[in-house]
Every structure is written in structure tokens, then in C-alpha cells.
Amino acid sequence: MALYAGIDCGTQGTRVVIVDSERGTIVGEGSAPHRLQSGADGAREQHASDWIDALVTAFHQAASDAAIDTQQITALSVSGQQHGFVALDEAGAVLHPVKLWCDTATDAQNSWLLQQLGGVSGALAQPGIVPATGYTASKILWLKQQHPALWARLHTVLLPHDYLNFWLTGERVMEYGDASGTGLLDIRSRSWDRHTVELIDPDGRLWQALPPLAAAQKCIGTLQPEAAQRLGLRRTVRVATGGGDNMMAAIGSGNIAPGTVTLSLGTSGTLFACSETPVTDENGLIASFCSSTNRWLPLICTMNVTSATTLIQTLLAEDLTGFNQLLNQAEPGAEGVEMLPFFNGERTPALPHAQASLHNLNAVNFTRANLCRAAVESATYGLRYGLDLFRQQGISAQEIRLTGGGARSAVWRQIVADVMNCPVVSLRIPETAALGAAIQAMWASALLDNPAQQPDALLQSLCQRFVTPDESTRAVPDAARHQTYETHYQRYLKRLNTTYPEVAL
């Protein structure tokens, strides 16, 4: 029996799956939570040491769940939340709490960097991606400006999944897909963009701190003694490059060729596809990341999905079942109740300091059910805008594969199908990032054993074995409801433009 582990270090916690490659099944799962530190200035930070503790706890849970001898595990791979900034000194100590993807305290630094690049058009020309406030680049500039003593000790820039790889192997390396989310990578050549780097730091410290880059199908090393001991694994266990959570979720949802779109209804919302070439729009709203399959991963991110619906659920003192019952009681359009769900600012459109608001309330429509419906619909409209951008760039959506907590709601799945006018389906294994990491570990390990294999064909074969749509969750669009939602969606865009005319959608 050949076993592989997939690790997903997310915002809320770490999840581990152990996969039997011969039977094509997950045999064990485990999870452990993370603490989040929030500041009124938009800061969202975590301690990197908490990730290691969560990894160890979740790994032992998964091994216990599988009832296996961990000595049978051959290789593992790590998926991690994108854009976080882990600053290491020469000895490998973390210099500052890790600023996360959802941290908006560096908006001023991002605005400065974008201006220096020549605005959206300049950034699209070089490095090919428009830096957003959540990206790593502005966090690096923030550290330089706010903590010069720490900056003087900076030796290595890593992302969250890279830091776990460093703890596992001692190697300081970054993979192309996750690296493209720093804002410092030339996404066309897959190399560090010296011009952008020197705008932040012309003295060379940052350039020297950027780690070497590795292709997605590589193994970067084997386990260090401490990691092997704490996880109960052999030191010969291989560690693949890993990648960003969206890149790994693409693999774990079988989104490795054009035609399929993955939509995550998680804390934030993500919409991404596979492309053979970089994809950009003139406004720079599509993030043209590199994929972890040596292609490109055009992506749209919105900041308020289940984070928004959970706030409404808490406000109404409802459990998830009660929330979904209320959601189902309301008609499409929530009797005119409109919500701009920007409780955490917004990335698409770029409104990092926006605030949530309710509109069109009256004595009749101000109900618990309509409030739930408005939250879900508005979150979905934000993602619909992203899908429209994709379609304008020639990205077809023959099927949308849903992931994230919101995808467990049959009502929400149908709303997505009706709003997007596209069939949607969830997957039998919903932990797509962790599964994608396990598949990548199998892929990289197999290629290391037999370099003559064709990488794309091998990855496609692995995804066919492990990624299966759950047909019981399939929802197809209803023509009449789609027309109703088209009216409500246009009303939403008008409200957004009226409230925030600077976005000019």
C-alpha cells in the first residue's frame, strides 16, 4: 500500500488527508484550528509557529483516523493560503507575525507601488499582474517602512506553504504558482521581476532574499529530523513543491484543462480556470497567476462570501440549518432588499476600505428570510461579475465545480446555477486543496522515480482517478429564474456604481 499526504494550511486551520494511491481513496483526515489576530487598521495576522503545531495535530488525527502505520507514507505536499509574508532571518527565525492575504493595512504601500509601476497598464506590461493590497509585495514594503530594524535582518522571503516546506525539509524555495501571487514574479517568463523588486528596495536586500524557484512537479527534499520525529514519519519521505491553496484546489477539482471553472464559496470567494496562455483584462481585475500545472490560472477573488453570511447567521442566532431554511423561504431578489456585503473591504472590485450596507428596506421586506437571501445573492453577484470578465476574455464555462462551505447548501448551489446560467456540481471529495496537494505529491514522486513519464498525461490520469463530481449535488439553471436574476444582478451593479462611482463597472 502506497500512501501519500496532502496538507492544506488555510486561514482558519490546517487540514490533512492521507490517500491510498492504489485504491484511489482517502483513508484518513484530520484538522486543527488557527488563531487569527485582527486590528482596526485592517491587519490580519497569524503566528507561523501555530501552523506547525496545527500541522502536527492534524497529521496525527489523520493517521489515527486511517489506522495506518505512518511509516508507509511515501511523499507529501503542502497547500497554503496565498499572499502571506513570512520574513526569515539567516538562522530561519520568523521576524514578525505573518500578514495574511486578507490583511488590508498595507493599502497605502500597494497604492504607491502601483503608481510606481505606471498604474494598471504599466503593471500589466511588466510584470504582467496588477498588485492588489492583499499581495505579498505591499507587505514587504510595509515591513521595510515600519520595522527598519527587522528589515536589516531580513534574509529570506517565504509564503505560508513555503514556510511549512522549510520546516519540513530545511529548504528555502518557492514554486511558480504561489510565487506569482507575490506581485514580484514576471508571470510570462516565470522569473523574479527585478524592476518591481528594485522599486521596493533598490539596495538589493530584497533581491537577495527572494528564494530560488521550482517547477510544480518537483520534489524539493526529504524530511529533517525534527519534522520526521514530530510527525512520526521516515526521514526519507519526499516533499513535493506544494503551492497556493487555489493552485492546489485547481488540481483537486480536476481543473487542469480549459473548459472547467472552479468556484469556491468559502470565507472569501474565488473563481478560477485553466489557460494555456496568460489572461488579463484591461482593468487588471483578473489575476493572471501561474498554475501549479505549469500553465496559467486566471483568477478572480472576492473578500466576502461565507464570511458575510456567517455574520448574518450569528446576528440572527441561527445555526446553519436554520439559516438555510430562512434562505429557502425568501423569493429570488429578496423582495427588493439589496446588500453590498463588504464587511471586509473588497478586492473585486478594488475597494479595500469599503463597508457593508443594506438598501431598499421597508416594513414589509425587512424580514429574517430576506436578510439571509440578500447576503447570499450579493455574494454570488460579486462572483458573477468575475465570471463575466472571464467570458469577455474568451474563457468558456461548460461546468462550474463548487467547493467551500457554501457549496454544501442545495439552495445556494441553485442560486449559483441560476445567476451564472451554467450547470454547477460539487465534488465527492470537497477538500480540494488538501486532495490537490496529495495528488501533486503522487505526481512529483512518480516522476522522480520515472522521469521518462509524460507529466501532463500522468497528472490527468491521477485527477481522473481521484476527482469525481457528486451528481447528487448537480444544479442546472432554470431559464425563468435566470431572467429574474439578470434583472436583480443589473440592479446590484447599478447600486454598486452609485455607492462607489470610482469603480465604474
Side-chain angles (χ1 to χ4, degrees), residues 361-498:
L361 300 178
N362 58 49
V364 175
N365 68 14
F366 187 41
T367 67
R368 292 157 56 85
N370 283 335
L371 192 59
C372 294
R373 191 91 184 192
V376 168
E377 289 177 346
S378 63
T380 307
Y381 293 153
L383 291 162
R384 159 66 191 275
Y385 179 70
L387 184 62
D388 286 350
L389 288 176
F390 277 7
R391 287 166 169 161
Q392 291 167 14
Q393 300 303 317
I395 299 174
S396 63
Q398 300 166 8
E399 178 179 270
I400 295 174
R401 295 188 170 181
L402 291 179
T403 67
R408 292 193 288 267
S409 167
V411 183
W412 202 338
R413 292 195 300 269
Q414 188 62 56
I415 290 172
V416 173
D418 293 336
V419 170
M420 308 294 187
N421 197 28
C422 182
V424 306
V425 67
S426 297
L427 299 162
R428 291 194 181 277
I429 300 175
E431 302 299 337
T432 51
L435 175 63
I439 292 172
Q440 192 211 42
M442 289 182 250
W443 186 36
S445 188
L447 288 172
L448 186 62
D449 289 335
N450 184 4
Q453 295 184 89
Q454 210 287 326
D456 289 349
L458 176 59
L459 180 60
Q460 183 178 27
S461 174
L462 289 168
C463 286
Q464 287 174 344
R465 289 187 64 200
F466 285 94
V467 182
T468 307
D470 181 355
E471 292 301 328
S472 69
T473 68
R474 185 174 293 276
V476 297
D478 176 270
R481 283 196 301 269
H482 171 65
Q483 288 303 315
T484 298
Y485 271 123
E486 193 64 25
T487 299
H488 297 318
Y489 172 62
Q490 295 301 326
R491 185 185 69 185
Y492 170 84
L493 292 181
K494 184 177 180 180
R495 173 66 64 186
L496 182 60
N497 283 330
T498 300

Side-chain angles (χ1 to χ4, degrees), residues 11 30 65-66 71 91 96 106 134 141 160 163 194 220 229 244 252 256 277 285 297 308 313 342 367 420 463 469:
T11 312
D65 182 50
Q71 299 297 306
H96 189 274
T106 63
L141 181 57
Y163 178 72
R194 185 179 283 272
I220 63 171
Q229 188 273 326
I256 60 171
T277 58
L285 293 175
L297 190 83
Q313 178 186 328
F342 306 145
T367 67
M420 308 294 187
C463 286

